[in-house]
Amino acid sequence: MSQATPPRSRRVPRAERREEILAAAARVFGSKGYRAGSLAEVAEQVGITHAGVLHHFGSKDRLLWEVLEYRDRVDVEHLEGQHIPGGLELFRHLVTTARRNADRRGIVQAYTVLTGEAVTDGHPAADRARTRFGVLREDIASALRTVADERGVDLAEQDAVRAASAVIGVMDGLQTQWLLDPEVVDLAESTAFAIEAILRAVLPGVEPLPDSPGASGAP
Amino acid sequence: MSQATPPRSRRVPRAERREEILAAAARVFGSKGYRAGSLAEVAEQVGITHAGVLHHFGSKDRLLWEVLEYRDRVDVEHLEGQHIPGGLELFRHLVTTARRNADRRGIVQAYTVLTGEAVTDGHPAADRARTRFGVLREDIASALRTVADERGVDLAEQDAVRAASAVIGVMDGLQTQWLLDPEVVDLAESTAFAIEAILRAVLPGVEPLPDSPGASGAP
């Protein structure tokens, strides 16, 4: 990783520095885990001080939330429009995401712990988590409507929302079981199975979902 | 609730006292929430001191884990054998459980927060969470095998485990979304929809799942 470490004296624009910190944090927390990953190690990788990281992100929890959003952004960078795709392509993208998540355990830990905490009444991150789920539900419901229209399937609005909630729910819940028991729960295969099951419930006869093109299954 | 409060001087056997504390904790945390519910209020409802609650359960987190197991026990008390049922009845029981959970928000919060924390490396509750998921996965996989045998459906072992993981996963994930956005995510209906979708993927043509008999939807 030494090529990513600029000399301490280099002047780096604020936005660029934030991206460097996020990339380092994704590596450190992804491999070391939510607890063992430290701000000190993130700082060292970027060639700044611990206080420098706090200056940009405020706290470990806030940095971790930003890392999760950074991961969402990076995951769609290779896609057209650099945005989560629509139609069936979205579901292939979700399966690809699960496959990638299996190689960044610490990031999945951070997501699970932070989201779990956010459900308590008045938690400062509740709005952030609520908004993230709301946007994702609407993206998925919209993709379902697109596929239903293309195929002339009658899709009740209520079913679109239920299926969208279920797709997100099963991805999250399988992550928790996989984190605790990776030998028993295969994150990528279980996720693909469950997403296809939910898709078929609202879009009968939909084809199997291989990974999206352009996304390698390799670490 | 005053009829449940014994006079402070009464001598109560240890096991009975523990049950009283668990019942009170399920009420207090269920209605007040994971954070706002206090050991002091639990103690008051039972007519003992805060130190008395700690004597029996050690800490708030440990009490909450026991409350979750207490809920699992209470939820099957009306069933034959007072054990989680087998075959299709198990899936009706899970839908009924989701319906009941919608009326005990604080307990669902406790489950979500405690399970979320348990996925970090070396967490003291990781074994407890891992065992709980393992037992539940095997109960569900076994129920799937029973139904498949009854109907002469060929069910691959791998699919039984994937479907079992997915059923638990979607229940957990939907709870998180419901806690954050109860107006948008209907816990009971979304759970029923998702469980049926997963069932149909491995047991084609399975009938819809009404709630299990003997379980009222009322709070």
Side-chain angles (χ1 to χ4, degrees):
Chain A
M1 305 280 177
S2 57
Q3 76 283 3
T5 310
R8 189 175 287 249
S9 59
R10 202 181 119 213
R11 272 291 198 174
V12 177
R14 186 177 171 83
E16 194 182 319
R17 179 64 89 203
R18 282 177 59 94
E19 286 288 301
E20 285 178 0
I21 297 171
L22 289 170
R27 284 194 302 270
V28 169
F29 293 111
S31 58
K32 297 269 169 103
Y34 170 81
R35 257 174 220 270
S38 73
L39 294 189
E41 187 169 350
V42 173
E44 195 192 325
Q45 286 214 2
V46 183
I48 62 175
T49 61
H50 182 261
V53 175
L54 288 178
H55 166 73
H56 285 278
F57 291 97
S59 70
K60 182 172 174 178
D61 269 17
R62 281 191 48 205
L63 172 60
L64 282 164
W65 277 107
E66 299 269 353
V67 168
L68 296 175
E69 283 164 23
Y70 170 81
R71 172 194 63 171
D72 290 346
R73 265 188 290 130
V74 168
D75 280 358
V76 298
E77 259 175 11
H78 68 285
L79 300 173
E80 206 177 312
Q82 305 195 342
H83 183 269
I84 197 166
L88 266 193
E89 193 54 42
L90 179 140
F91 300 95
R92 288 188 202 107
H93 171 68
L94 295 179
V95 172
T96 304
T97 301
R99 198 172 299 284
R100 286 181 170 168
N101 281 342
D103 292 315
R104 48 191 178 190
R105 176 181 167 81
I107 302 288
V108 180
Q109 278 181 331
Y111 172 79
T112 302
V113 179
L114 293 171
T115 308
E117 284 171 355
V119 303
T120 50
D121 300 315
H123 192 283
D127 279 343
R128 192 161 205 161
R130 189 180 297 114
T131 301
R132 190 181 182 281
F133 279 125
V135 169
L136 199 46
R137 263 196 308 268
E138 185 42 41
D139 283 344
I140 296 175
S142 165
L144 289 171
R145 286 181 211 112
T146 301
V147 182
D149 281 353
E150 282 168 7
R151 296 170 187 224
V153 174
D154 190 31
L155 175 63
E157 182 49 28
Q158 180 177 265
D159 284 345
V161 174
R162 280 183 192 160
S165 311
V167 164
I168 302 167
V170 84
M171 292 185 76
D172 290 353
L174 285 171
Q175 286 179 1
T176 302
Q177 291 174 68
W178 167 74
L179 287 167
L180 287 163
D181 234 338
E183 305 299 315
V184 176
V185 177
D186 182 315
L187 185 61
E189 299 307 323
S190 301
T191 302
F193 162 85
I195 291 180
E196 285 185 19
I198 294 161
L199 272 184
R200 293 227 171 84
V202 289
L203 300 168
V206 79
E207 58 268 36
L209 291 172
D211 279 19
S212 61
S216 154
Chain B
M1 306 280 177
S2 57
Q3 77 283 4
T5 310
R8 188 175 288 247
S9 59
R10 204 182 118 213
R11 270 292 196 173
V12 177
R14 186 178 170 82
E16 194 183 317
R17 181 63 89 202
R18 281 177 60 93
E19 287 288 300
E20 284 177 1
I21 297 172
L22 289 170
R27 286 194 301 270
V28 169
F29 292 111
S31 58
K32 297 269 169 101
Y34 170 81
R35 255 174 221 271
S38 73
L39 294 189
E41 186 167 350
V42 172
E44 195 191 325
Q45 286 213 3
V46 183
I48 61 175
T49 61
H50 183 261
V53 175
L54 288 179
H55 167 72
H56 285 278
F57 291 97
S59 70
K60 182 172 174 178
D61 269 17
R62 281 191 47 206
L63 172 60
L64 283 165
W65 276 108
E66 299 269 354
V67 167
L68 297 176
E69 283 163 22
Y70 171 81
R71 172 193 64 171
D72 290 346
R73 265 188 289 131
V74 169
D75 280 359
V76 297
E77 259 173 12
H78 68 285
L79 300 174
E80 207 178 308
Q82 306 194 342
H83 183 268
I84 195 166
L88 265 194
E89 194 54 43
L90 180 139
F91 300 95
R92 288 188 203 106
H93 171 69
L94 295 178
V95 173
T96 305
T97 301
R99 198 171 300 283
R100 287 181 171 170
N101 282 343
D103 292 315
R104 47 191 180 191
R105 176 181 167 80
I107 302 289
V108 180
Q109 278 181 331
Y111 173 79
T112 302
V113 178
L114 293 171
T115 308
E117 284 171 354
V119 304
T120 51
D121 300 316
H123 192 283
D127 279 344
R128 192 162 206 160
R130 189 179 298 114
T131 301
R132 189 179 183 282
F133 279 125
V135 169
L136 199 46
R137 264 197 307 267
E138 185 42 41
D139 282 343
I140 296 175
S142 167
L144 289 171
R145 287 181 210 114
T146 301
V147 182
D149 281 353
E150 282 168 7
R151 296 170 187 225
V153 174
D154 190 30
L155 175 62
E157 181 50 28
Q158 179 177 265
D159 284 345
V161 175
R162 281 182 192 160
S165 312
V167 165
I168 302 167
V170 83
M171 290 186 77
D172 290 354
L174 284 171
Q175 285 179 2
T176 303
Q177 291 175 67
W178 167 74
L179 286 167
L180 287 162
D181 233 338
E183 305 298 316
V184 176
V185 177
D186 181 315
L187 185 61
E189 298 308 323
S190 301
T191 302
F193 162 85
I195 291 180
E196 285 184 20
I198 294 162
L199 273 184
R200 292 226 172 85
V202 290
L203 300 168
V206 78
E207 57 268 36
L209 291 172
D211 279 21
S212 59
S216 152

